[in-house]
Amino acid sequence: MARAAITVIGAGPAGLAAAVCAAECGRRVVLVDENPLPGGQIWRAKKNLPAIETEPWRRRAQAAGVEWRTGCQAAQATPERLWLESAGEAETLAWEQLILATGARELLLPFPGWTLPNCCGAGGLQALVKAGLAIAGQRVVVAGSGPLTLAVAAYLQQQGARVLLVAEQAAPMQAAAAALLLFSSPARVRQAWRMRDALRGVEIQAGCWVEAAEGAERLQRVRLRRGRRRWSLECDYLACGFGLRPNSELGQLLGCALNAEAGLQVDRWQQTSVARIWCAGDASGVAGVEAALLAGQIAGYAAAGRQDLAAAFIARRDRQQRASRRLLRRLALRQELRRLAADDTWFCRCEDVPIGEAQAYASWREAKLQTRCGMGACQGRICGAAGRFLWGWEAAGVRPPIVPVRVGTLALTETGEAQ
Amino acid sequence: MPEELRIRVNGRELAVAAGTSVAAALLNAGIRGMRRSRTGEPRGPVCGMGACMECRITVDGRAQLRACQLRCREGMEIEC
Ligand SMILES: Cc1cc2nc3c(=O)[nH]c(=O)nc-3n(C[C@H](O)[C@H](O)[C@H](O)COP(=O)(O)OP(=O)(O)OC[C@H]3O[C@@H](n4cnc5c(N)ncnc54)[C@H](O)[C@@H]3O)c2cc1C
Ligand code: FES
């Protein structure tokens, strides 16, 4: 029997590592990513310049003959085929074995004014700057939670932004404990140290969060809260994210089971609950770059049938995942964040459904049927995760395609389910 | 020196550095609202990575493309 080709979705650390390992075992590997250059989130290219960390992986991938399909988004999947979209052009790709390394996106939570232009996610603003947004001299408030907000603040400051404040919602003791955990490995110490240098002179407040964004047609100021203290800060951009949530849509379409974090459930070889499908990196639970690289290598070797090679990475992967979980537990989101939005604050940004309307329903499914929330262009990527945090809504089933696709792509779908 | 290219935004010509995304180019030109929401509010990029769909614009007559996931190309015509 001919050995199956392996298709990897996502060229972040996990996907790169998986593609390289599978290809080095002699498998034919196709690596798909919607970005023009590989690297994923943490190693996102700066304009046309790939991040230096991707280079060793890129070289190994090239040497092993990995086929690149960059600028292609996987919009729909069936047990045999993937539908790829690139800037309006569509095509299908048959797959035999699939490794999903689709990473994570930011959790964005509604508060009054969160839909104003220039209110961005934390990683969101960083991504825009890497894509050429001129940030030098701009006044930025970074807020939300997690190690990402600090990394983003450090990056923006290095790019010449004036970071006025980093507001971490976790209480000072929790944030301090999390900061200590940042020093739990040599790589983390180096990263934390570089961040500390860049953040010299930047005000960092724990137990502090944004209550509202204000402005006419665009963000002009944010209202902040810390304990009983409330104040306003004039700024040009808000970079606000509340941690990361796995991109599990493709796997869900293919019937893969979810774990407690709403990531794709995997076994020790990174195999999902569905035969021929593996998952690695943040898509199976957010655990950071080191864990993503280790899990990617395991998935790549395991998919190629080389468990003997994969086994060497398991203990280290487990250690990294435990370390990340310990850190993230410290930064649990506070209750107050559930009550920031007013009744007329938009909950679903695509369909302009206010919180007051959405919260009347017991489940996402019901709210979708009654209010159209989650039925718009983002297919519930933003409000679905918010509803899960705000009201404990279950992740509703995903309907194909996972992103709105062009007529050309739809003509290729056979299910007839897409509108 | 970064290579420069030209795009047109609502009929106005803009010079942008090669490699710049359409979303970044529009923000740099002071265009913060890239689409109007159902109730008519201006909306701009949020996630920067293709997930939120707030940055949708029309490029060369093709509507609903995400400005954050597209690189500027010489001669691109953008409407927003
Ligand atoms: C916005 C953002 C910024 C971050 N910044 C930092 C940082 O500065 N420092 C830090 O330590 N950590 C950062 N992280 C966390 C870090 O990226 C992860 O912990 C780690 O890199 C995960 O790697 P991964 O390979 O699992 O996923 P990712 O690096 O997220 O890569 C996933 C890739 O899959 C692609 N993809 C997803 N779905 C599809 C699809 N349907 N079709 C085609 N391609 C698809 C994406 O375009 C992406 O390139 C960031 C995360 C996010 C979401
Ligand atoms: S900014 Fe979110 S999709 Fe473009």
Side-chain angles (χ1 to χ4, degrees):
Chain A
M1 197 181 93
R3 289 203 294 176
I6 297 175
T7 305
V8 183
I9 311 288
L16 279 170
V20 161
C21 292
E24 285 176 353
C25 293
R27 287 308 190 83
R28 195 188 139 217
V29 174
V30 182
L31 177 54
V32 178
D33 195 293
E34 64 171 307
N35 286 303
L37 288 168
Q41 301 300 347
I42 185 170
W43 298 340
R44 183 177 280 277
K46 191 148 185 248
K47 290 199 228 165
N48 285 333
L49 206 67
I52 174 156
E53 294 91 340
T54 57
E55 275 315 297
W57 295 102
R58 235 157 64 117
R59 268 199 299 273
R60 276 174 72 182
Q62 218 147 20
V66 171
E67 290 169 45
W68 299 91
R69 304 297 296 276
T70 49
C72 277
Q73 183 180 29
Q76 153 77 311
T78 66
E80 296 83 33
R81 286 206 270 168
L82 289 164
W83 277 257
L84 304 182
E85 270 240 332
S86 78
E89 303 301 321
E91 61 181 317
T92 64
L93 181 71
W95 66 272
E96 291 159 274
Q97 290 182 314
L98 199 56
I99 301 179
L100 300 171
T102 47
R105 60 175 169 269
E106 280 184 283
L107 174 63
L108 304 171
L109 296 177
F111 50 83
W114 75 309
T115 50
L116 281 171
N118 285 22
C119 286
C120 305
L125 186 61
Q126 182 184 46
L128 287 162
V129 172
K130 288 189 176 175
L133 169 63
I135 202 72
Q138 301 284 307
R139 300 163 305 171
V140 184
V141 171
V142 180
S145 196
L148 180 56
T149 53
L150 282 177
V152 168
Y155 177 80
L156 296 173
Q157 193 73 6
Q158 282 162 345
Q159 300 302 309
R162 286 168 54 201
V163 176
L164 305 179
L165 173 70
V166 182
E168 164 59 53
Q169 58 85 38
M173 284 301 286
Q174 298 295 323
L180 280 180
L181 290 170
L182 268 181
F183 291 88
S184 61
S185 81
R188 279 167 202 249
V189 171
R190 275 194 301 279
Q191 200 188 1
W193 217 247
R194 274 202 301 273
M195 241 149 58
R196 211 189 74 127
D197 267 349
L199 289 174
R200 196 157 284 149
V202 172
E203 187 179 348
I204 301 176
Q205 298 240 14
C208 178
W209 64 96
V210 171
E211 282 198 315
E214 296 172 340
E217 299 271 303
R218 62 167 291 199
L219 172 72
Q220 286 167 314
R221 79 195 69 80
V222 292
R223 291 213 323 260
L224 292 145
R225 161 118 186 248
R226 181 172 191 246
R228 290 220 195 95
R229 187 173 163 229
R230 288 189 159 93
W231 74 105
S232 286
L233 212 49
E234 304 275 325
C235 58
D236 302 301
Y237 285 95
L238 170 64
C240 183
F242 292 91
L244 304 175
R245 293 293 179 271
N247 287 327
S248 52
E249 286 77 12
L250 266 185
Q252 276 180 273
L253 267 186
L254 292 163
C256 300
L258 296 182
N259 57 29
E261 285 181 69
L264 297 182
Q265 181 192 307
V266 291
D267 66 10
R268 62 194 257 113
W269 307 109
Q270 301 296 138
Q271 167 123 41
T272 68
S273 64
V274 173
R276 301 186 290 129
I277 306 178
W278 286 258
C279 173
D282 281 356
S284 66
V286 174
V289 59
E290 290 98 350
L293 282 171
L294 293 161
Q297 292 173 89
I298 294 169
Y301 285 133
R306 295 297 305 268
Q307 270 80 358
D308 57 321
L309 296 175
F313 298 92
I314 287 180
R316 270 191 293 157
R317 174 202 61 193
D318 292 349
R319 221 167 26 245
Q320 285 294 345
Q321 287 179 343
R322 275 197 303 272
S324 298
R325 289 218 177 93
R326 266 202 305 277
L327 190 155
L328 293 174
R329 259 203 306 277
R330 295 288 177 176
L331 298 170
L333 299 178
R334 61 172 59 233
Q335 287 300 326
E336 285 93 332
L337 300 175
R338 294 198 164 86
R339 299 188 292 270
L340 292 178
D343 274 354
D344 62 354
T345 302
W346 299 130
F347 170 65
C348 169
R349 313 172 62 112
C350 298
E351 297 288 320
D352 281 359
V353 179
I355 285 265
E357 243 175 74
Q359 70 188 0
Y361 299 95
S363 72
W364 198 26
R365 185 174 297 277
E366 212 179 315
K368 268 176 149 178
L369 288 173
Q370 303 298 329
T371 70
R372 287 198 55 78
C373 80
M375 304 283 278
C378 92
Q379 314 255 42
R381 276 184 171 63
I382 306 301
C383 67
R388 208 175 126 85
F389 169 72
L390 293 174
W391 310 305
W393 283 359
E394 281 307 307
V398 179
R399 281 172 58 83
I402 60 165
V403 288
V405 293
R406 319 227 68 78
V407 181
T409 317
L410 280 182
L412 298 168
T413 65
E414 301 154 315
T415 62
E417 261 200 84
Q419 317 76 337
Chain B
M1 266 322 270
E3 186 198 331
E4 272 210 347
L5 43 85
R6 268 154 213 291
I7 60 172
R8 288 174 81 81
V9 181
N10 300 327
R12 177 177 135 213
E13 194 166 271
L14 276 183
V16 301
T20 305
S21 73
V22 173
L26 293 176
L27 287 170
N28 289 344
I31 300 167
R32 300 178 186 91
M34 295 183 192
R35 69 171 193 111
R36 291 274 158 183
S37 76
R38 279 213 188 269
T39 57
E41 292 179 355
R43 296 284 168 78
V46 181
C47 72
M49 52 171 271
C52 74
M53 311 300 282
E54 288 285 37
C55 64
R56 279 169 290 155
I57 42 135
T58 299
V59 177
D60 298 332
R62 265 202 169 114
Q64 310 278 331
L65 294 180
R66 295 164 302 170
C68 69
Q69 296 303 91
L70 274 180
R71 298 280 178 94
C72 292
R73 276 190 323 269
E74 183 66 39
M76 227 177 202
E77 295 266 355
I78 293 157
E79 290 154 77
C80 59

